[in-house]
Amino acid sequence: MARDFGLIPQVVPKVETRHRRIVTALPVPESLATLEKLHRYEPLAMRGQPPVVWHRAEGFQVYDPYGNCWIDWSSGVLITNAGHGRREIVDAVVAQASSGLLTNYAFPSEMRARLVERLASLLPKPLEKVFLLTTGSETVECAIKLIRAHGAKVGGRAKNIIVSYDDAFHGRTLGAQQAGGIPSLKEWIGNMDPGFVQVPFPDGFRTADTSFDFFERSLAACGVQSRNVAAVLLETYQGGSAAFALPDYMHALRKWCDANEALLVLDEVQAGFGRTGTMWGFEHYGIVPDLALFGKGISSSLPLAAVAGPADLMDSQPIGTMTSTHTGNPVCCAAALASIDLVVREKLPANACKVGNVLHERLREMQSRLPQIGSVQGRGLVAGVACVEPGTTQPDAELAWDVVRRCYEQGVLMFSPVGFGGATVKIAPPLVITEAAILESAAVLEEAFGEATR
Ligand SMILES: Cc1ncc(COP(=O)(O)O)c(C=O)c1O
């Protein structure tokens, strides 16, 4: 269960290092007016993150207005792949905003044309058409529409089952939430669509059986006939744990989808744009999905998202039926083009791989010493550290929260714990982070675990 950090300032030890600076009580007494205003005017459901008032952010660091500076292990929420506040992105945004065109709906614009062309040129065939949206959840809703239309076309109305995975997160809108696999997030829905079915994710930790056979057995146990499956939808890695499936499993899934005329849809909203050490997360599996969904790191800044797929699928809807008010907003497109240029030019996937290897090695060392760390998952610059009751897979949310709080007080900023039982400490810094900063922040994490388990 998520919780709040509270608004009572605590005296914390001063920190002054190359990359971090904590010189006030936390939360900062002078920030309380802002924090209280947010509490007063925003819904309770918006709370739960460390109470740092973000003032400025640069590269892999976040600054408040009171002299404190954190190494950012959140990237917002995996947004700033190219780094915070990059000059190139700022310039592109300013240039477009000053050009006189701030919006364009679905009317043609040069910026939108440039971005869809750029994305298509970076994606493997047959992902050749791109539909721009604003949020990751919308890409999932769009996929649901394309999936259902595809199912009806190739197998009639009964071919409408969307298989997704336990513990998956695909967003908070109605369809995306039903495709998700976290029961507590779906309680509000009431009358669930029976066309959404979840099976266990082969993470090798809580689901020991990682064979593809288990997928087929799980479907049968849910009473699903293969021929009625319109699509299998999954995150390239599970956001809540950072767990990947095995490549063999994904190859078998690709074959199974082809054999059953079901679409394979990969939600790359977290995994895309270099996060996992390759430009696209699905490269780790050596397969190409029928639809790929993008968001977050696409622009490192302004809201933008995209659905990519083959022409026949993307053109399956009649003229004028797939639009959105802010589809490909030109300022957001300019930001995305600049961010993608940085990711490519600065070889940020390669940096994510190199620095990520250092991070994962350090995390595995910690795991070997601490029985409270049940698993370390992820690749590149995403990692999930699952806190457990020693010797079990039972989540220890208390420990995860304590660790995140201690890190925040020491100048390493993460969002609050995620995943199964709210007990996964998630690490996802901007891809520009250096080895020195990763080692410095990993030492803070180790100390936090040490103190929290003492
Ligand atoms: C894998 C995945 N898909 C979809 C979403 C939803 O994206 P948004 O919050 O932009 O709607 C998220 C958000 O965290 C996500 O992690």
Side-chain angles (χ1 to χ4, degrees):
M1 188 63 181
R3 60 194 72 175
D4 208 359
F5 279 79
L7 294 188
I8 300 170
Q10 307 291 324
V11 173
V12 296
K14 293 226 177 333
V15 176
E16 286 252 30
T17 71
R18 185 163 157 214
H19 301 110
R20 295 171 289 139
R21 188 160 191 267
I22 301 295
V23 291
T24 66
L26 293 176
V28 182
E30 292 80 0
S31 74
L32 292 182
T34 303
L35 298 171
E36 279 160 4
K37 207 181 291 177
L38 290 167
H39 279 204
R40 176 151 184 214
Y41 293 108
E42 284 188 339
L44 184 74
M46 271 288 286
R47 293 193 208 162
Q49 299 305 335
V52 173
V53 174
W54 287 40
H55 179 61
R56 183 168 73 82
E58 214 179 293
F60 57 84
Q61 286 157 304
V62 169
Y63 299 79
D64 72 6
Y66 315 104
N68 298 314
C69 165
W70 286 261
I71 294 178
D72 179 28
W73 269 11
S74 75
S75 299
V77 60
L78 298 100
I79 303 164
T80 53
N81 286 21
H84 287 282
R86 292 298 302 265
R87 173 49 49 199
E88 294 83 346
I89 299 176
V90 173
D91 288 347
V93 167
V94 169
Q96 182 57 37
S98 315
S99 77
L101 188 69
L102 290 175
T103 190
N104 51 221
Y105 174 49
F107 293 102
S109 82
E110 175 62 25
M111 268 301 158
R112 199 169 81 243
R114 280 178 52 196
L115 180 58
V116 291
E117 180 188 40
R118 181 82 162 119
L119 288 168
S121 76
L122 288 168
L123 284 162
K125 294 273 168 291
L127 304 176
E128 59 201 348
K129 285 214 168 191
V130 179
F131 175 39
L132 298 176
L133 284 158
T134 313
T135 66
S137 302
E138 284 175 293
T139 68
V140 176
E141 299 292 339
C142 173
I144 291 169
K145 180 175 185 171
L146 292 171
I147 289 166
R148 286 271 163 99
H150 162 84
K153 186 171 147 204
V154 302
R157 280 287 165 196
K159 192 173 178 66
N160 67 357
I161 307 275
I162 298 176
V163 179
S164 53
Y165 285 82
D166 291 343
D167 303 318
F169 185 79
H170 294 289
R172 295 195 191 274
T173 52
L174 184 60
Q177 200 97 88
Q178 291 188 82
I182 304 172
S184 60
L185 298 186
K186 301 199 251 193
E187 274 165 14
W188 63 275
I189 296 174
N191 54 332
M192 290 282 293
D193 181 333
F196 288 93
V197 169
Q198 281 90 54
V199 295
F201 186 82
D203 66 357
F205 178 53
R206 290 198 166 92
T207 303
D209 189 346
T210 57
S211 70
F212 187 68
D213 199 39
F214 189 45
F215 172 83
E216 294 186 295
R217 279 185 280 124
S218 302
L219 271 193
C222 298
V224 172
Q225 297 190 318
S226 309
R227 67 167 185 278
N228 289 337
V229 175
V232 178
L233 162 68
L234 71 162
E235 298 160 282
T236 305
Y237 66 80
Q238 285 213 302
S241 61
F244 282 74
L246 292 174
D248 281 355
Y249 180 101
M250 293 302 289
H251 281 273
L253 180 61
R254 175 70 276 183
K255 273 201 195 125
W256 186 93
C257 286
D258 290 342
N260 289 287
E261 288 190 281
L263 300 176
L264 176 56
V265 182
L266 283 181
D267 179 341
E268 284 261 322
V269 167
Q270 286 203 15
F273 300 95
R275 170 63 55 194
T276 68
T278 50
M279 187 65 172
W280 315 119
F282 56 74
E283 289 175 62
H284 293 291
Y285 297 132
I287 56 153
V288 178
D290 297 303
L291 288 174
L293 316 179
F294 302 104
K296 294 190 187 283
I298 191 170
S299 68
S300 297
S301 55
L302 303 188
L304 195 82
V307 179
D312 57 344
L313 196 55
M314 296 296 283
D315 287 340
S316 66
Q317 301 304 298
I319 289 177
T321 60
M322 275 193 356
T323 64
S324 169
T325 299
H326 295 296
T327 183
N329 172 283
V331 184
C332 300
C333 286
L337 280 161
S339 177
I340 293 166
D341 277 349
L342 287 168
V343 169
V344 172
R345 197 171 69 235
E346 297 186 347
K347 300 188 173 54
L348 295 183
N351 193 57
C353 180
K354 185 169 105 345
V355 180
N357 284 341
V358 174
L359 170 69
H360 284 276
E361 197 183 317
R362 289 289 288 108
L363 295 175
R364 282 193 299 270
E365 272 168 30
M366 288 180 216
Q367 187 190 10
S368 69
R369 280 194 296 276
L370 285 167
Q372 291 87 352
I373 298 181
S375 83
V376 173
Q377 309 258 21
R379 273 169 179 266
L381 281 171
V382 62
V385 180
C387 299
V388 294
E389 308 285 349
T392 74
T393 59
Q394 284 306 310
D396 186 347
E398 207 60 51
L399 174 61
W401 275 83
D402 200 14
V403 167
V404 167
R405 180 185 58 78
R406 287 173 189 275
C407 286
Y408 138 73
E409 290 176 358
Q410 284 287 310
V412 174
L413 188 59
M414 283 176 273
F415 42 80
S416 55
V418 294
F420 188 78
T424 300
V425 174
K426 181 105 172 260
I427 303 169
L431 310 187
V432 291
I433 197 163
T434 59
E435 194 172 318
I438 272 291
L439 287 171
E440 181 179 322
S441 35
V444 172
L445 180 74
E446 184 162 27
E447 197 182 316
F449 263 110
E451 283 169 4
T453 55
R454 190 166 292 149

